[in-house]
Amino acid sequence: MERQEFRLGGTGGQGLILAGVILAEAAIAQGLNAVQTQSYGPEARGGASKAEVIIADTEIDYPKVTDPDVILVMSQEAANRYLKGVKAGALVIVDSSLVKQVPPVAGRVVLLELTRLAREGLGREVVANIVALGALAALTGTVSADRLLEATLALVPKGTEELNRRAVHVGLQAGSREGGRV
Amino acid sequence: MERQEFRLGGTGGQGLILAGVILAEAAIAQGLNAVQTQSYGPEARGGASKAEVIIADTEIDYPKVTDPDVILVMSQEAANRYLKGVKAGALVIVDSSLVKQVPPVAGRVVLLELTRLAREGLGREVVANIVALGALAALTGTVSADRLLEATLALVPKGTEELNRRAVHVGLQAGSREGGRV
Amino acid sequence: MTVRLMQGNEACAEGAIAAGMRFFAGYPITPSTEIAEALAERLPQVGGKFIQMEDEIASMAAIIGASLAGVKSMTATSGPGFSLKQENLGFASFCEVPCVVVNVQRAGPSTGLPTSPAQGDVMQARWGTHGDHPIIALCPWSVREAFDLTVESFNLSEALRIPVILLTDEVVGHMRERVELPPAGELTLIDRKRPDGPRESYVPFRAGSDGVPLMADFGAGYRYHVTGLTHDEHGFPVSAGPVAGALLERLHAKLERRRDDLDRVATLEMEDAEFAVFAYGGAARSAAAAVRLARAEGLRAGLFRPQVIWPFPDRSVSRLAGKVRGVLTVEMNLGQLHAEVQRVVCGRVPVVHFGRVDGELPSPRDILAALKEVARSG
Amino acid sequence: MTVRLMQGNEACAEGAIAAGMRFFAGYPITPSTEIAEALAERLPQVGGKFIQMEDEIASMAAIIGASLAGVKSMTATSGPGFSLKQENLGFASFCEVPCVVVNVQRAGPSTGLPTSPAQGDVMQARWGTHGDHPIIALCPWSVREAFDLTVESFNLSEALRIPVILLTDEVVGHMRERVELPPAGELTLIDRKRPDGPRESYVPFRAGSDGVPLMADFGAGYRYHVTGLTHDEHGFPVSAGPVAGALLERLHAKLERRRDDLDRVATLEMEDAEFAVFAYGGAARSAAAAVRLARAEGLRAGLFRPQVIWPFPDRSVSRLAGKVRGVLTVEMNLGQLHAEVQRVVCGRVPVVHFGRVDGELPSPRDILAALKEVARSG
Amino acid sequence: MAGSVELDPGRCKRCDICVEFCPKGVFVRDGAEVRVARPDDCSGCLICELLCPDHALRVTKGGEGR
Amino acid sequence: MAGSVELDPGRCKRCDICVEFCPKGVFVRDGAEVRVARPDDCSGCLICELLCPDHALRVTKGGEGR
Amino acid sequence: MGDFRRLYRHHKLPTIWCPGCGHGIVLGAVLRAVDEAGLDQDKTCVVSGIGCASRAPGYIDFDTLHTTHGRALAFATGLKLAKPELKVIVVTGDGDCAAIGGNHLIHAARRNIELTTVVFNNNVYGMTSGQYSPMTPAGKLASTAPYGNLERSFDLCELVRAAGGTYVARSTAYHARLLKDLIVRGLTHKGFAFIEALTQCPTYYGRRNRLGAAPDMLAWFKENSVTIQAADKLPPEQLAGKMTLGELHSSEAPEYTEEYAKLTARIRGDV
Amino acid sequence: MGDFRRLYRHHKLPTIWCPGCGHGIVLGAVLRAVDEAGLDQDKTCVVSGIGCASRAPGYIDFDTLHTTHGRALAFATGLKLAKPELKVIVVTGDGDCAAIGGNHLIHAARRNIELTTVVFNNNVYGMTSGQYSPMTPAGKLASTAPYGNLERSFDLCELVRAAGGTYVARSTAYHARLLKDLIVRGLTHKGFAFIEALTQCPTYYGRRNRLGAAPDMLAWFKENSVTIQAADKLPPEQLAGKMTLGELHSSEAPEYTEEYAKLTARIRGDV
Ligand SMILES: Cc1ncc(C[n+]2csc(CCOP(=O)(O)OP(=O)(O)O)c2C)c(N)n1
Ligand SMILES: Cc1ncc(C[n+]2csc(CCOP(=O)(O)OP(=O)(O)O)c2C)c(N)n1
Ligand code: SF4
Ligand code: SF4
Ligand code: SF4
Ligand code: SF4
Ligand code: SF4
Ligand code: SF4
Ligand SMILES: [Mg+2]
Ligand SMILES: [Mg+2]
C-alpha cells in the first residue's frame, strides 16, 4: 500500500484527535504502519483543531500531511482552510450539518450530515467524530470495519462503548450509501 | 616611581581592606596611579582577609600582587601564609601583639605591637589598622603623612575622625622610631 | 512485546519506568505535560512516586533530593520551565547527582508558540546554567527512539553521575507512531556504583579509575556532605586554588574519556553519499524524507543524525568532512548546531544552513531544494 | 571631573545613573551586591527608584515592568541569579523591552566560589534562555570601562529595544582604581524612540527602517498589548506561520544590520603583532601585562580585546586571522569564546587556549609561557 | 420595570447560562442555537448580562433603550 | 548542686556571651581572652553551655564529671 | 461612569475561552468595576501571567501586559513603582498566582503595594488541560491526580491576609454583582487589594469531576456559599463546607509607593 | 539519648560564623533536640539553602545537603517523598526561606509534608553583608536600606499557619532551652513543623542598627518577648511590641507521604 494521507479538521471539542488516533490504531491492527499528528490554533484552548494520519506499508519519515488523499472537514473554518489546493482524486468528506458553503474543490466531495446523524440518530452530538470515521472507512476501505470497531471500542471512555458501536455502524452505512467500498 | 606592591594580611574585622583603600586613595592624591584589590577565604564570612595595593606612576595592567615590596601581617595565620618566599629587600611589618612566631624571611622585618598600641595607646583595638598604615607610611615613604591623614579622615566613619587622626600619628611615630623615612 | 500506537511523550514515560525511574517531580507545560500525566498514573502502580511541585525550580530540586535518596529520578518540561530549571541543573551537574531532565521543545523565545515545534533550546541545553559545567544531551527522532534514548539517558546519567537532558521536540513528543517496545528483560540497565565498604574509607567525591566517585544513598549510614560550593574530595568547601581547579577538570574529564562512546550518530544512505544532511530530532524526519527524494532524483545524499548532541560528536563530524563534498544542516532554529558543525568542519567543505523558525516542521521538498543548491555549489 | 579611587561595581552604578537609569530592582548576591548598595543610596537622591525584590526572577520582572512605564531600568546579579533571570530575560528580548542586566561573574558552576572571579557565564549570556533570541553583551576590563560600557549598554538597549548584558567579573567588579569620570554633559545618551502621532496610527511592533519599532510608555494613552506569545505587528498572538517567522527574523535583523557598529574591539600593540592574545574583561588585564612582558623579550605580541562579545565580532576576528601567525585565547573558563574564535578563524592560523578555572586570575607569566609555546609552533 | 435584551449570535458560545438563570425564561435552547424566545418577558434584572461569559448579551432597562 | 565548666580556647571566639550571662560570674574577659576565672562558683546551671555559639563550653554537673 | 462596554477590544472578541468558561463572567465584573470606579482608561494598566485567566488582558482596552507564568505581580510591582500615578490591575489564575507565583503574591501583600489583584480561581490549570492546582480540593480528580488529589488546598484569602494584604475579599462568578462591588472597593483601596473570584472550568475541572455543565457549576457556587454578613447569623452546622463571600479583611497600613515618595521628598529636601 | 556532642563534625569546627553569631546557639539547640528525640543518626538528613544559617549542615554529622538559595524545602520534599523512612530536618535563614524561598515554604506547609524546619531568623541577609530581608522590621537600617527599611516584615509563624502548617512555634537564641524543647516537639510531630528561632547577627544587623554586641542582642530578646503562656495572663499594654514565644499552633491533618503510601497500597491492592 502506498502512503495515504488523511487530514481531519474541525474545532476543539469535536474529538478529531481521538478520531485520528482510532484510525491509526485500526491501521496498525491491520498490519500497516501509521503515524498520527495534530495541530492546534494559536491557542491551546478552543479554536481550530486538526488531526493528521499517514498510513503506509513502508517506513514513514515525514510525519506531516502535505498532499492529503482524504480530507474530513467538520467546521466551516476547516472547510475554508483545508479545501484549498486539494489534489484531483482526493476524497473530501464534508459534515454538511456544520459546513454550509463548500468551496470548489478538485476532489470527490461527499456531503454527509454527520453531526445531525449523531444528534438525531444516536442522541449525542459528541459521537459525530465516530460516525465520521465509519463513513471514512466505508468510503476508503483503508481500514476494515472490524478493525475500526475494535480500535474505537478500545479507545473511547469506559461506559460509552455501546453508543460508539452504534456510531461506527451509522457511519459505515452512511458511507456505503455514498458508494463506499466496504 | 616603579610599580610598588603592598600586601596587607590578617583576619576579617580588622579593617585591612579599608586600610588598603586609604593607602590607595592617599597615593592617588599624591598624583600616582593605584589599584586596590582584596580576597577572602573560602567564605564571605570570617576567616582570612587580604588586601592588596599596587602603586605606580604608570599604567597598572595586572591588578594583583605577585611579588610584594611591602607586607603587613596582622595575624599568625597571615604570617604563616604570606611570609613564605618574600623577596630579599622587601619590608615586612609584623603586628607582634598578634603574631607570636615570625617565620624566617628574606626581607627586612619590623616588629610593632600595633594592636597593643591601639588598645592601650588609643583605647580602641579597632584602629590597629590605621596605626599600621601610619607605620607603613613612615617606613616606606610611598605616601606622605599629610596625604595619608587626609585619606584616612575622608574614609573612616563619621564621628571617629579624632580617634583616627591620633591613630595615624601613633603609627607614624612607631614607624619613625624603627627608622622610617618620614 | 505487542505492537501499538504510542505517543512520543508516552514512550518517554514508559522508557523511564523501564529504566527503573521511580521518582518524578514536574510542573505542567505544553507540550511536555503528557509525560507527567502518564507518570501520575503509572508510578503509583509500580511503587514509584509522582509529585507535582509548585513550579519547575522546585521540581528540579525535588528530583535531586530524591536521587540522593538513591532513587532514579526525572522531570519533564518545555522551554520556559527549562529556563527555570537551569540553576538547579547546575547544582546536579556540579554535585554529580544523576537525574534526567526532559525538554520537549516548543517554539520560543518566551511563551512563543506553545503548541508548535522548534529546536531553539539546543545551545541552552549545553550552556543554560552559569559556570563551566559538563552535560549530556540526547535527541530522539521517533517514538521508539524516545523510549530507547530515555533508557539510555538513565544509563549514562547513572554511569557518569551527571544530569542528562533528553531534548525532544513537539513533533516527536506529540506524534503517535507504531512501535514495538523491547521486552523488559532485554534492556541493559545501569545503576550508579554504590560504596559497600566501611564508612571510614568512603571519600564521597574521590573518583575511581573511571573518573566517577561511588555514590552512597542518603540514609545508608555514610553520613556525608553535599554542597554546591566548590568542594574537595570529602565534599567540604574549599577556596580558590588547585583543589578547586582539579574538581572542575575531573568533572569534564569524566566525559572526555568517554568521548568515543558518546559519539553516537545514526546514518541513512551515508555509505556513498556525496552530500550529507546533518539533522536530529523531529527535523531529521523531514531530512530523511528529503534524502530519499534526492536519491530518487539521482543525488547521492545521506542523513547524518547525531543521537547524542552534547558532547558534540566532533570526531564523527570531522570524519564526515573528510568524506563528503558538502553538508546541509537542517534545524528548527537559526543555526545552533550549525555553528558547531562549522567549527569542526573548519572550512574543509561548504556547510550550509537550512533553518525554520516559524513553528512549522521543515518540508522535505524545501530541504531538497536547499540540498540541490549545496550540490550545485559544492 | 575629579580624579578618584573607585570600585568597578560603584563605577557601574554611577555609569547607570549617568546614563539616565532611574529604576533598579535587584536581589543581593556576591560579588555584585555593591551595585545594589550604591544605588539604594543614590537613586532616591536623583528621584529614581530602588527596590530589593524577593528574588532574581522578580527583579528581572520588575525592571521590565518599569521599562514599559518609560523608565530606564537595570538589575545586577551574579551566576546563580543570572540563571534565574533567564526566563524573563527572554521575555524582554522577545517583547523588545530595553533594560540592562549586569552579571558580575564569579566562579561556578552552582554556588561555586562566590568571592572568586571567573568568566564561566559567557556562553550563558548568549544562550541562557530558551528559544532563538537576540542579545547583546559587553565586557569591561577596568573601572573606567565599567562606567563607560554601562552607559553604552543603555544606549544600545534603548536604540535597539533589546536587553543588554553587562558581563563583568569579580576582578573588575571589586577592584578599586584611579578613575577620571567624564563630566555629565559630555556623555552621548540615547533614548528609545517614542511615538508622537495619534493612537490610531500607532502599530506597536511595526518596525521603521532601522528595524526597531517605536515604543510608547504605558500610561501615555496608546493602550497597546505586550505579550510573550509570538505576536503580530499589533502585539497580539498569532499561530505558527509566516508572521511568526517574520517576527523572529526581524528581531535578529535588528542586530545583523548593526553588525559593523557592534564589532567593537580594543587593541594594544597590535600594529605589528605576529601573535595575538584574545582576551576580555578581567583576564585581559593579565593578558595586557603578558603582552608587555613578551614585547620586553622581543616577541611581537598584541592584545585583541573585544568590548562587545555578543554579537561575536566575526569580522574583526576574521581580519585578525589574516594578520597574525597565531592566536592565544585567554579566559577564566574552559574555552567558551575560544570555540567562537576557532569557528571564525576556520583553521587559517593556530588558535590555542589558555584557561584557568580555579578561581584565580591568570598570571601574566603563565600567559607569557603559553604565548611562547604558540610562537614556537606557529 | 421592563427591559429589553439583545443577543449577539456571533459572540454567543451556546453555554446555556442565560437559559438556565434568566428568572423569566426569556431564552431557549433551540438545537444548536440559543435564542431570545420571549423578549417581552424581560424584567431588565441584568442577571443574564452579568452571567454571560462572552459579552454576547446586552440588556437595556425599560425606557432607556426603546 | 555544683558543676564544673571547661572552656576550649581553640573554639572560643571571645564573644563575651558566657561572661555576661553566667549567673555566677564564673567567666572573665582578660584582654583578648575569655577565661574561666571562678570555676568553683559554677552551679552547673548549663546556661553558658546553651548560649555559647561556638561549642566551646562543656559543663559537667556536680559529681558526674569529677 | 460611561458604558463599561467601551473597555473591550471588540475586534479581539470572541475570546479563546471555552463555552461556559467562567473567566468571561469575571472579566465582565472587572470591567464594570473599572467603569464604576471611574478610572482613567489611559492611566490604567492590566497585567497578567500565563493561563486561560491570564489571557484576559488581550481582550480589554488598556495598556496591557501578558507576562510569564506566575510573575504578573512582580512585573506589576516594577510598573507601579516606576510610575505610581498609574492604576495597576493584576488578573491571574489560581495556578499562576498560587502555584508558581505564590512568592510574588505574599511579597506584594507584605509590601502593601497598591495593586488590585483579581484571581480567577477555577481550581485547576485550565490552559494546560486540567492538572491539579494548589486550589484543587483534596480528593478531586485531575489529569495529574488520576486517583484523587492527595494535597490540601490553600485558603488563599487567609494566606494573603497573613502575608500582610490590607484588603481581602471573595466572591464567585455566580455572585457577579457582589464580585463587581468588591473589585470596586479593591480599586479604591490604598494598598494591596486581593479579590478571589471563584469561577468554573467546565471543560476540565467540571467534566472530570462530573460537576455538570457551566450552569450546574454556577448553581453549585450559589448553593455552597454564604456572605460574611449572613454567615454571622447562621448556626455553625449550616455553615459547614460553605465558602464565605464578601469583604473578609480590610485595614490600613502604609502603602509602599507612598512611603517611597515620602522618602524621596525627605532626601531631596522637598519637605 | 546519648551525648549530643557526638553529632558535631568536630574536625570542621570552628565554624565560619562571626564571634557572637547566634546561629551557633540555634544549631546547638537543634543537636540537643535531635539527641533528646532519640533520632537515628544514620537515618536523619539535614538540608539547607544558602546563607550563613545554611552553612550549619556542614558542621553536623548526618547525611547533609547544602543546596541552592531558597530551595532547601523543595530538595527536602524530594528526599523525604522518595524515602519516607528518613527524618528530614531543614535549616534555613530568614532570607533563604522567607525571601527567595517563600513559595516553597508555603507549599511545604500546605502539603503538610513531614519536614522539621528551623529558620534562623536574624532579620538580615548575613552572608551577603547585611541587606534587609523580609524579616527586617520597617524603619531599620541595612546596607540596601540606608535610609531605613520602607517595607513591612512578615509574621512568618502566622504565614506558615495560614498556609497550612500544622506545627508552628517560636523561640529565640536567648531562650535556648525553650527552643530545644520546641524543636523536640517539632521532630515528633506528624506533618510540617516550623520553628522560628530569632537569633542575632551582631556583625551586620546589630552593628548597623546600634544594638550593641552579641550579649546585648541576647538581652534584647529576653526583654522583648513573652511566652504564650505568660502572654495569656498579661494585660495588653504589657504585651505591646513583644514577641510571643512557644508553641503557637498545633493541629492534626493528613501527612503527605503517609497519604501517598496509602494511595500506593490501595492501587497495588496491598490493602
Ligand atoms: C514557566 C512556565 N511553566 C509552566 C507553563 C505552562 N502553563 C501555562 S498556563 C499554566 C497553568 C495555568 O493555570 P491557572 O493560572 O490556574 O489558569 P487557568 O488556565 O486555569 O485559567 C501552566 C502550568 C508556562 N507557560 N510557563
Ligand atoms: C540565587 C541566589 N541569589 C542570591 C544569592 C546570594 N545570597 C547568598 S546568602 C543570601 C542571603 C542569606 O540570608 P539568610 O538566609 O537570612 O541567611 P543569613 O546569612 O542571614 O544567616 C543571599 C542573598 C545566592 N547565593 N543565590
Ligand atoms: S450566556 Fe451568553 S454565551 Fe451563554 S448561551 Fe447565553 S448568550 Fe450565549
Ligand atoms: S435581564 Fe433578567 S429577565 Fe431580562 S433576559 Fe436577562 S435575566 Fe432575563
Ligand atoms: S560564649 Fe563561648 S565563644 Fe563566647 S566567649 Fe564564652 S566560651 Fe567563648
Ligand atoms: S553552668 Fe551556669 S554557673 Fe556554671 S559556668 Fe555555666 S552559666 Fe555559670
Ligand atoms: S480550559 Fe477551562 S479555564 Fe480554560 S478556557 Fe476552557 S473552561 Fe475556561
Ligand atoms: S554575618 Fe551575621 S549571620 Fe553571618 S556569621 Fe556573621 S554574625 Fe552570623
Ligand atoms: Mg486555574
Ligand atoms: Mg538572615
Side-chain angles (χ1 to χ4, degrees), chain D residues 38-52:
Chain D
L39 291 170
E41 187 163 341
R42 293 283 283 119
L43 276 170
Q45 297 170 354
V46 296
K49 307 290 165 63
F50 168 91
I51 187 168
Q52 185 175 294

Side-chain angles (χ1 to χ4, degrees), chain A residues 45, chain G residues 17-18 21 23 52 122 126-127 201-204:
Chain A
R45 300 269 57 68
Chain G
W17 294 324
C18 306
C21 174
H23 288 354
C52 295
N122 56 8
M127 180 60 94
C201 169
T203 304
Y204 295 111

